[in-house]
Amino acid sequence: MELRQTPQLKRRQKKFRTTLFLGLCLLVLAVGALGYARAVHPLSQAQSELVNRARRAGKIDQVDQFYHVAREKTFTAVTGRNHQQKPVAVIAESGRKKLVTVRLDKGKSAKSIQQQVQADYHPKKITTFGLGIYKGIVVWEVTFIDQADNLTFLAYQFSNGELIRSIQNL
C-alpha cells in the first residue's frame, strides 16, 4: 500500500519551506548589515570627532567633504566653509591634537589633481584620494590601480600641484 501526501500536508510543507527560506534570507541580511556597520564605524567616528574638533576650534562652520588617507601616518580631513564663508580644509593626524587649516582657494583643487592623475597615468581605478601632510607639507594623496594592475601612490603638493612623491608598481 502506497502512502500519499494529502494536499493539505503538501501546502503546510511548502509554507514551512517558504517561511524558513525567508527567515534565513532576513538573517543573512541582518548579519550583513551589522557587519557593514561595524566595518565603517571607526571611519564615521573619526569623521564626527574631526568635525566636532574643527567646529569647537572655530576652523570650520559648514562641512562638505570628508577624506581619510593612511600611509606611514593616518590623516583625516574635512573641507567646507569657515565663518567668513571662505573655502577651507582642516586636517588632523591620527592621535595628535593639532589641527592644520588651509584655504582651499590658495592651492590646487581636488578636481584639478584628479584630472592631472587621469591625464598623466590613465588609472583603471582611483582607490583613495585625500588631504594629508608629508614632511610638513600639505599634500593631495592619491592611490590608484594602473593599467597593468599595479598599485601606485602619488603625493601632490597642495599649494602648487607639484608631484613630490611617487611610489609605483607596488
Side-chain angles (χ1 to χ4, degrees):
M1 181 163 150
E2 184 177 324
L3 290 175
R4 294 184 181 206
Q5 293 181 341
T6 64
Q8 187 179 25
L9 182 59
K10 284 183 180 181
R11 278 193 304 272
R12 269 194 248 146
Q13 286 177 339
K14 185 176 181 181
K15 185 177 179 182
F16 174 76
R17 285 192 299 264
T18 302
T19 304
L20 181 62
F21 177 73
L22 289 175
L24 287 173
C25 287
L26 287 174
L27 180 64
V28 167
L29 284 173
V31 168
L34 181 63
Y36 177 77
R38 292 183 118 202
V40 299
H41 178 71
L43 201 55
S44 62
Q45 183 177 2
Q47 178 180 359
S48 120
E49 285 175 8
L50 178 57
V51 168
N52 289 336
R53 285 178 56 205
R55 283 190 173 145
R56 278 194 311 262
K59 306 280 187 185
I60 200 165
D61 284 342
Q62 172 192 334
V63 176
D64 298 328
Q65 184 73 38
F66 173 75
Y67 297 104
H68 176 266
V69 291
R71 302 293 160 263
E72 291 100 20
K73 298 176 182 177
T74 300
F75 293 96
T76 54
V78 288
T79 61
R81 298 200 171 268
N82 62 14
H83 65 283
Q84 299 168 334
Q85 294 304 305
K86 304 282 186 193
V88 295
V90 180
I91 307 164
E93 182 181 341
S94 181
R96 299 273 176 118
K97 298 255 187 235
K98 182 181 177 187
L99 296 175
V100 175
T101 305
V102 293
R103 289 265 308 269
L104 291 175
D105 56 355
K106 303 286 185 191
K108 291 291 185 173
S109 70
K111 186 176 182 178
S112 70
I113 295 297
Q114 288 171 336
Q115 288 172 342
Q116 187 172 344
V117 169
Q118 289 291 342
D120 294 346
Y121 297 95
H122 310 289
K124 278 187 180 178
K125 179 182 179 185
I126 294 177
T127 55
T128 59
F129 183 86
L131 284 166
I133 299 173
Y134 176 68
K135 294 187 178 180
I137 300 169
V138 176
V139 295
W140 286 107
E141 294 188 6
V142 185
T143 306
F144 64 86
I145 305 297
D146 66 15
Q147 295 297 322
D149 289 328
N150 294 315
L151 185 65
T152 298
F153 166 76
L154 306 171
Y156 289 91
Q157 189 168 340
F158 169 77
S159 62
N160 60 14
E162 180 184 328
L163 181 64
I164 60 172
R165 186 174 183 204
S166 174
I167 304 171
Q168 297 181 6
N169 301 321
L170 297 173

